[in-house]
Amino acid sequence: LRKYENPHTPPSKRRSGTDGSPTSQDDEDDDVRTDGGTPGRKDGHDPEWRSMADPDEEIEVTCDCCPECGDRFDESVGVSPRLVEEIPDPQPPEITRYNRHYYQCDSCGTETVAAHPDCPDEGQFGVNVIAQSALSRYDHRLPYRKIADRFEQLHGLELSGASAWHATERAARAGRCEYEQIRQEIQDADVVHIDETGIKRDG
């Protein structure tokens, strides 16, 4: 794939070595970018290092004997630490059944169903599924079919595109009250700033 040359790629973006001839870059795959650029910041810019978090677990990696001659080691002469950040394996969904008891008032006859903060008012998906569906749709710009595929790949949760759409609608209804409050604050403001592109004045 690295040597593949797209016929629509301009000459300035084409990589060297696409003719099949061996190059020294074959041994530097980690430093090769597929878009034709070079890794890292441009010359003259200070590097920016990632801040490493504290480890959640420490594992002692030891060796008993020399891999060359087989002689046993007495003790370690030093430690070469390496921090590795990893995401957990796909987590299966947690399924909870809420036995919502309902009651009837003896005085007025009103029926009341008990509520739980973690039990949504409608549907069979929890608040995290609803929130992740909305983020995938409006923050990551994923279509509903790919949102369903993402849930199945990450969590083994079977979700249809229509169900993903219903989840985003529930998120919209849940935030409708706060949305209206923000809109009212904007309408009541003395000055409202807008961002327009390309407004000409006096020609």
Side-chain angles (χ1 to χ4, degrees):
L1 290 176
R2 188 174 62 82
K3 296 182 178 181
Y4 172 76
E5 183 176 346
N6 191 328
H8 302 290
T9 303
S12 60
K13 294 295 185 180
R14 292 179 183 173
R15 295 181 46 81
S16 60
T18 56
D19 55 353
S21 59
T23 63
S24 60
Q25 294 175 345
D26 292 338
D27 298 332
E28 302 176 358
D29 288 340
D30 290 342
D31 295 331
V32 169
R33 284 175 46 171
T34 58
D35 58 1
T38 56
R41 292 190 172 187
K42 295 182 179 180
D43 294 338
H45 290 269
D46 295 333
E48 182 175 350
W49 307 104
R50 294 182 64 242
S51 59
M52 301 299 293
D54 295 332
D56 300 314
E57 179 185 8
E58 291 191 19
I59 298 178
E60 301 297 332
V61 183
T62 60
C63 185
D64 296 331
C65 60
C66 177
E68 294 294 334
C69 64
D71 191 14
R72 296 186 62 84
F73 294 129
D74 293 334
E75 61 182 11
S76 171
V77 296
V79 177
S80 177
R82 172 177 293 180
L83 287 176
V84 177
E85 296 181 82
E86 180 63 289
I87 58 176
D89 291 332
Q91 301 298 310
E94 297 179 353
I95 302 176
T96 304
R97 184 174 71 178
Y98 294 91
N99 296 320
R100 303 179 304 164
H101 293 260
Y102 63 91
Y103 307 87
Q104 187 172 11
C105 180
D106 295 334
S107 300
C108 63
T110 302
E111 292 187 356
T112 302
V113 179
H116 192 278
D118 295 333
C119 182
D121 295 335
E122 57 179 324
Q124 66 182 81
F125 298 114
V127 292
N128 287 335
V129 176
I130 294 174
Q132 290 299 323
S133 297
L135 286 174
S136 298
R137 176 59 180 172
Y138 300 109
D139 194 19
H140 301 155
R141 300 293 193 269
L142 293 179
Y144 294 113
R145 176 180 56 82
K146 289 188 177 294
I147 294 175
D149 294 340
R150 183 172 180 269
F151 275 111
E152 184 173 1
Q153 292 170 359
L154 295 180
H155 307 288
L157 178 63
E158 294 184 2
L159 192 73
S160 65
S163 297
W165 177 81
H166 283 295
T168 58
E169 288 297 305
R170 294 187 188 115
R173 288 194 293 270
R176 174 60 62 180
C177 180
E178 185 175 358
Y179 175 85
E180 294 296 340
Q181 291 178 0
I182 295 175
R183 185 167 67 171
Q184 188 63 40
E185 291 178 2
I186 295 175
Q187 293 176 350
D188 296 340
D190 296 333
V191 177
V192 177
H193 173 71
I194 61 173
D195 182 12
E196 294 284 355
T197 303
I199 300 179
K200 293 183 178 181
R201 297 183 60 183
D202 297 333

